[in-house]
């Protein structure tokens, strides 16, 4: 009976980790409150003391990596459907490569943005928050934000295009006239990736 | 060694009394107290005997020393030396003999009643008490109880005689010697050295009336000036801190919202009068809903010029607490910044080591809780943690994906024939 009550391995691991995390936060917070040391929880100190370079590079890293995850996921979903459907209906092969290209475009957006953002990262002089200056901090945070923006929008765009592309391939295998209609859906899905890129460029301008 | 004697300060815990110190204690006792000495000399004794058999663990009723404790309580003054080095205690008879200039009389309780005692002439009455072979614990307790009985009898006889006396209870040898004797000595040495640690001195106190208002402490206080391309340094620590050093604090003031500590020096780096001024202020800050104090300025005043450093950006703490930092300088991870670009402060370097200051809400003459300038994690540690957390999340996600890949088992048929892969085409 105990085995039935217990969840599978993943769930145990994740619940364990979450429990550990939240209980640490709770106990640390409780101790800080009890000993009247709440004043030492200083978000401003964290934001001004951490180097803007960290934020900028995190943005660059997230831009490319999240975009690539999205593209890869999309291609994996579409690709498996094309290969599967292509066994029975080989004519779909060439046409459905368009879906793959839409997914790949998402990765291209990601790498372009990563290069654009990294070109904006320059050295600065200054060790104290005052001498570093507000502009450098703003630059760091903007780059982080831009990377996050383009990364996440490309991630979901890629997944979306992938799932739609998979459906398109299978529908095409069944009935050739359906493909063009479904392609329109895919184009809408691809637009959201583009939105992310535009906003990211505005952020780092 | 236990002694009923005029009050002398007891020794520090763990301190082993040596020969000379014992002599001085005894001298003092005998000079000021009665010169009739009743000496109970046990063969062996250690502090552990009292701990084990003296009812020290809340079981006072089981104590083997009721008479001894009663005597100590009722005596007008007492001194307990818990640790006397045993060559010294061995020589106690000789010392007493020398100091009283009389020879010891070895007695037991029966012969005491026959003795005539005089309050004016000194007498040394020695009662030998056994300790036993030390093998059997039970017998040790009985022996000690028996000794205590003897002590009780003797002391009551002495009381009945109404002769003032000094009683000493000691032994010739320790009853317990810890086997790793070498290890104990450095431990005691270390304890002794801790008591006498150098470099701990009181903070600079500024009193407004009766109450202390500002406290300042530092391990090192130095200023340097740039003259003709070279830095000339002057260490202000010896004139500010230390035993018997009282710096001049004229000009200091404090009130509810502003405090100013002025340290006046003479002949610093060629300037006849030199002042080091710490200006602090406290107020309530709305966003954090609490009162904070800041070190607004550190000023060097000399020859009608003032070099000003601003410290309010980094040197702050809640108003109830003190601020402490290992290093407060204007050149190395600076906490103090010159007020402006043309300020004479640009030619000076100030450096405070292990600096602690409190300008408000001082209770007593001690610092309140010290809000340290260094947090638990440094900025670098936070950056590392953040990045590591991100990478661990990525890893978790990847692992989760991979772990949920399953091989296809739709067409598995465990009961069917095994797949045969033909070798030929």
């Amino acid at each position: 009976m105990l085995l039935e009550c217990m969840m599978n391995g993943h769930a145990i691991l994740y619940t364990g980790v979450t429990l550990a995390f939240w209980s640490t936060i709770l106990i640390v917070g409780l101790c800080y409150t009890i000993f009247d040391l709440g004043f030492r929880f200083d978000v401003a100190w964290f934001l001004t003391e951490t180097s803007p370079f960290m934020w900028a590079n995190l943005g660059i890293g997230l831009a490319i990596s999240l975009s690539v995850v999205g593209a890869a996921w999309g291609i994996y979903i579409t690709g498996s459907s094309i290969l599967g459907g292509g066994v029975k209906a080989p004519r779909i092969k060439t046409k459905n490569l368009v879906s793959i290209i839409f997914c790949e475009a998402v990765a291209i957006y990601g790498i372009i943005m990563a290069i654009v953002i990294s070109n904006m990262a320059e050295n600065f002089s200054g060790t104290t928050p005052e001498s570093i200056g507000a502009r450098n901090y703003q630059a760091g945070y903007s780059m982080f934000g831009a990377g996050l923006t383009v990364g996440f929008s490309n991630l979901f765009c890629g997944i979306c295009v992938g799932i739609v592309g998979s459906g398109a391939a299978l529908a095409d295998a069944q009935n050739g006239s359906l493909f063009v209609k479904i392609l329109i859906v895919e184009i809408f899905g691809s637009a959201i990736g583009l939105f992310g890129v535009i906003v990211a460029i505005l952020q780092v301008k | 060694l236990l002694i009923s004697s005029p009050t002398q300060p007891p020794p520090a815990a763990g301190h082993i009394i040596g020969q000379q110190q014992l002599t001085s204690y005894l001298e003092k006792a005998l000079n000021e107290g009665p010169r009739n000495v009743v000496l109970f000399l046990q063969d062996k004794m250690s502090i552990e005997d009292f701990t084990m058999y003296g009812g020290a663990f809340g079981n006072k009723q089981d104590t083997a020393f009721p008479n001894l404790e009663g005597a100590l309580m009722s005596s007008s003054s007492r001194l307990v030396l818990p640790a006397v080095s045993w060559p010294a205690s061995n020589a106690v008879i000789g010392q007493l003999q020398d100091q009283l200039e009389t020879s010891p009389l070895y007695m037991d309780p029966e012969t005491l009643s026959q003795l005539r005692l005089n309050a004016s002439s000194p007498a040394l009455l020695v009662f030998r008490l056994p300790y036993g072979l030390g093998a059997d614990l039970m017998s040790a307790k009985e022996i000690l109880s028996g000794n205590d009985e003897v002590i009780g009898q003797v002391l009551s006889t002495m009381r009945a005689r109404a002769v003032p006396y000094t009683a000493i209870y000691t032994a010739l040898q320790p009853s317990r010697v810890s086997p790793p004797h070498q290890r104990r000595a450095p431990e005691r040495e270390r304890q002794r050295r801790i008591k006498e640690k150098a470099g701990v001195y009181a903070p600079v106190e500024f009193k407004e009336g009766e109450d202390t208002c500002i406290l300042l402490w530092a391990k090192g206080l130095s200023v340097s000036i740039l003259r003709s391309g070279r830095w000339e340094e002057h260490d202000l620590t010896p004139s500010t801190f230390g035993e018997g050093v009282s710096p001049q604090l004229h000009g200091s003031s404090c009130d509810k919202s502003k405090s100013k500590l002025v340290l006046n020096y003479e002949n610093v780096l060629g300037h006849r009068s030199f002042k080091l001024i710490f200006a602090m202020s406290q107020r309530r800050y709305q966003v954090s809903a609490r009162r904070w104090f800041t070190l607004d300025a550190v000023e060097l005043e000399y020859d009608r010029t003032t070099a000003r450093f601003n410290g309010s950006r980094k040197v702050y703490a809640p108003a109830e607490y003190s601020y402490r930092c290992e290093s407060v300088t204007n050149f190395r991870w600076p906490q103090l910044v010159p007020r402006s670009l043309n300020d004479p402060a640009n030619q000076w370097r100030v450096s405070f080591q292990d600096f602690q200051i409190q300008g408000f809400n001082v209770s007593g003459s001690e610092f309140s809780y010290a809000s340290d300038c260094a947090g638990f994690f440094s900025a670098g540690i936070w950056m590392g943690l953040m990045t590591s957390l991100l990478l661990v999340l990525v890893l978790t996600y990847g692992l989760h994906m991979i772990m949920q890949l399953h091989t296809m088992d739709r067409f598995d048929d465990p009961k069917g024939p095994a797949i045969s892969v033909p070798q030929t085409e």
Side-chain angles (χ1 to χ4, degrees):
Chain A
M1 199 165 80
L2 210 57
L3 286 169
E4 286 156 20
C5 292
M6 301 239 306
M7 310 161 269
N8 62 15
H10 291 187
I12 296 178
L13 176 66
Y14 294 144
T15 19
V17 170
T18 317
L19 200 66
F21 177 70
W22 286 114
S23 53
T24 317
I25 300 267
L26 182 72
I27 290 175
V28 169
L30 214 59
C31 283
Y32 268 91
T33 315
I34 292 174
F35 297 118
D36 190 29
L37 292 175
F39 68 91
R40 298 213 70 112
F41 180 79
D42 201 345
V43 177
W45 176 87
F46 174 69
L47 290 176
T48 48
E49 290 291 317
T50 52
S51 167
F53 280 127
M54 174 189 87
W55 299 105
N57 285 300
L58 273 180
I60 296 166
L62 286 172
I64 180 65
S65 48
L66 291 173
S67 313
V68 165
V69 169
W73 204 335
I75 293 176
Y76 141 67
I77 297 176
T78 309
S80 38
S81 298
I82 295 177
L83 288 169
V87 170
K88 276 294 190 173
R91 59 181 164 77
I92 68 167
K93 290 194 312 292
T94 329
K95 249 202 299 189
N96 281 279
L97 286 179
V98 165
S99 311
I100 306 275
I101 299 208
F102 273 123
C103 288
E104 186 66 21
V106 155
I108 306 262
Y109 298 155
I111 192 163
I112 288 179
M113 279 312 295
I115 294 178
V116 164
I117 297 174
S118 67
N119 278 338
M120 298 190 173
E122 289 163 357
N123 272 330
F124 59 85
S125 64
T127 44
T128 65
E130 290 78 26
S131 53
I132 292 176
R135 296 197 56 195
N136 284 320
Y137 282 117
Q138 194 240 350
Y141 299 138
S142 313
M143 290 192 235
F144 179 67
L148 221 56
T149 308
V150 74
F152 276 112
S153 25
N154 284 339
L155 171 70
F156 295 116
C157 172
I159 299 174
C160 161
V161 169
I163 298 181
V164 173
S166 148
L170 297 173
D172 190 21
Q174 195 51 284
N175 178 355
S177 62
L178 290 173
F179 180 70
V180 181
K181 301 273 178 7
I182 297 180
L183 207 57
I184 299 180
V185 178
E186 230 175 284
I187 292 170
F188 277 110
S190 175
I192 47 181
L194 213 52
F195 296 159
V197 171
I198 293 171
V199 170
I201 295 207
L202 288 176
Q203 277 178 316
V204 288
K205 223 160 160 36
Chain B
L1 184 138
L2 291 96
I3 175 171
S4 309
S5 84
T7 17
Q8 294 179 50
H15 184 90
I16 303 180
I17 311 285
Q19 181 103 1
Q20 211 152 4
Q21 221 168 344
L22 184 61
T23 317
S24 70
Y25 275 120
L26 288 175
E27 248 180 58
K28 207 154 169 264
L30 295 173
N31 286 339
E32 295 169 18
R35 289 177 68 86
N36 284 313
V37 175
V38 180
L39 174 65
F40 298 102
L41 205 57
Q42 197 167 283
D43 282 342
K44 297 183 185 182
M45 185 192 335
S46 285
I47 190 78
E48 284 84 0
D49 295 326
F50 294 101
T51 325
M52 280 173 72
Y53 306 119
F57 300 106
N59 52 340
K60 251 308 174 243
Q61 62 275 12
D62 298 331
T63 177
F65 307 104
N67 294 316
L68 180 61
E69 288 179 31
L72 274 179
M73 288 298 141
S74 62
S75 76
S76 53
S77 48
R78 68 202 74 85
L79 175 67
V80 175
L81 304 174
V84 178
S85 67
W86 74 266
S89 74
N90 210 347
V92 101
I93 285 194
Q95 293 198 342
L96 289 171
Q97 201 170 337
D98 293 331
Q99 292 186 8
L100 293 172
E101 287 150 19
T102 173
S103 40
L105 291 167
Y106 288 86
M107 325 221 41
D108 48 50
E110 293 76 26
T111 49
L112 178 61
S113 43
Q114 301 157 4
L115 187 65
R116 228 192 307 266
L117 283 169
N118 201 334
S120 49
S121 60
L124 176 58
L125 310 172
V126 182
F127 295 87
R128 292 298 300 266
L129 300 172
Y131 187 71
L133 301 169
D136 189 357
L137 280 176
M138 211 35 212
S139 68
K141 183 164 178 158
E142 286 171 350
I143 290 177
L144 289 171
S145 288
N147 292 344
D148 187 69
E149 285 284 323
V150 170
I151 294 177
Q153 281 182 343
V154 170
L155 292 183
S156 58
T157 317
M158 295 294 294
R159 267 199 294 275
R161 295 288 189 83
V163 172
Y165 63 91
T166 300
I168 304 180
Y169 181 28
T170 182
L172 295 170
Q173 288 179 44
S175 62
R176 266 161 253 270
V177 177
S178 40
H181 201 65
Q182 301 88 332
R183 253 197 280 134
R184 288 284 279 247
E187 175 67 24
R188 293 235 165 86
E189 186 58 32
R190 185 184 69 84
Q191 286 176 344
R192 188 180 65 80
R193 255 190 269 119
I194 284 174
K195 293 261 145 201
E196 304 159 351
K197 189 160 72 164
V200 178
Y201 35 75
V204 168
E205 268 181 78
F206 171 65
K207 287 189 160 68
E208 181 96 347
E210 276 301 309
D211 304 316
T212 315
C213 195
I214 307 180
L215 287 168
L216 171 74
W217 195 93
K219 190 154 42 166
L221 215 67
S222 78
V223 293
S224 320
I225 188 171
L226 182 64
R227 272 201 196 126
S228 42
R230 273 178 51 247
W231 287 100
E232 293 174 16
E233 196 192 326
H234 184 101
D235 189 7
L236 294 169
T237 327
S239 0
T240 323
F241 299 105
E243 296 284 322
V245 175
S246 49
Q248 299 297 321
L249 302 175
H250 307 307
S252 307
S253 62
C254 62
D255 64 33
K256 294 269 321 168
S257 65
K258 281 199 185 329
S259 284
K260 190 150 87 150
L261 179 68
V262 178
L263 297 165
N264 299 286
Y265 303 101
E266 288 172 9
N267 291 329
V268 172
L269 290 168
H271 302 292
R272 186 108 49 83
S273 81
F274 186 87
K275 289 191 197 177
L276 179 59
I277 302 173
F278 296 92
M280 294 170 275
S281 68
Q282 77 157 347
R283 70 175 179 91
R284 185 187 159 80
Y285 290 78
Q286 267 307 94
V287 175
S288 58
R290 98 179 281 160
R291 308 181 70 87
W292 297 78
F293 86 87
T294 52
L295 180 66
D296 290 334
V298 173
E299 293 174 0
L300 309 172
E301 212 175 280
Y302 56 96
D303 293 347
R304 282 172 315 223
T305 7
T306 315
R308 283 195 187 84
F309 294 97
N310 185 10
S312 55
R313 293 295 257 151
K314 291 256 172 105
V315 183
Y316 61 88
E320 303 86 30
Y321 303 138
S322 60
Y323 172 84
R324 185 255 164 199
C325 198
E326 178 64 30
S327 163
V328 176
T329 68
N330 70 321
F331 53 96
R332 187 175 49 232
W333 305 112
Q335 309 235 326
L336 305 170
V337 184
R339 258 302 155 78
S340 64
L341 286 172
N342 316 328
D343 202 287
N346 287 294
Q347 296 152 342
W348 285 91
R349 275 188 181 171
V350 294
S351 163
F352 308 137
Q353 302 298 322
D354 201 354
F355 173 80
Q356 189 169 4
I357 196 167
Q358 185 171 2
F360 306 94
N361 302 109
V362 179
S363 54
S365 325
E366 288 182 348
F367 283 108
S368 312
Y369 171 81
S371 163
D372 203 302
C373 63
F376 188 70
F377 287 140
S378 70
I381 295 178
W382 280 118
M383 293 202 279
L385 282 175
M386 226 185 103
T387 318
S388 312
L389 182 71
L390 183 69
L391 293 175
V392 161
L393 282 175
V394 170
L395 179 70
T396 313
Y397 176 65
L399 267 179
H400 178 89
M401 294 277 274
I402 290 183
M403 287 195 301
Q404 63 167 11
L405 289 174
H406 298 293
T407 49
M408 189 175 228
D409 59 0
R410 177 182 285 284
F411 299 113
D412 281 352
D413 182 16
K415 294 200 183 69
I419 303 174
S420 65
V421 180
Q423 289 287 6
T424 59
E425 180 79 332

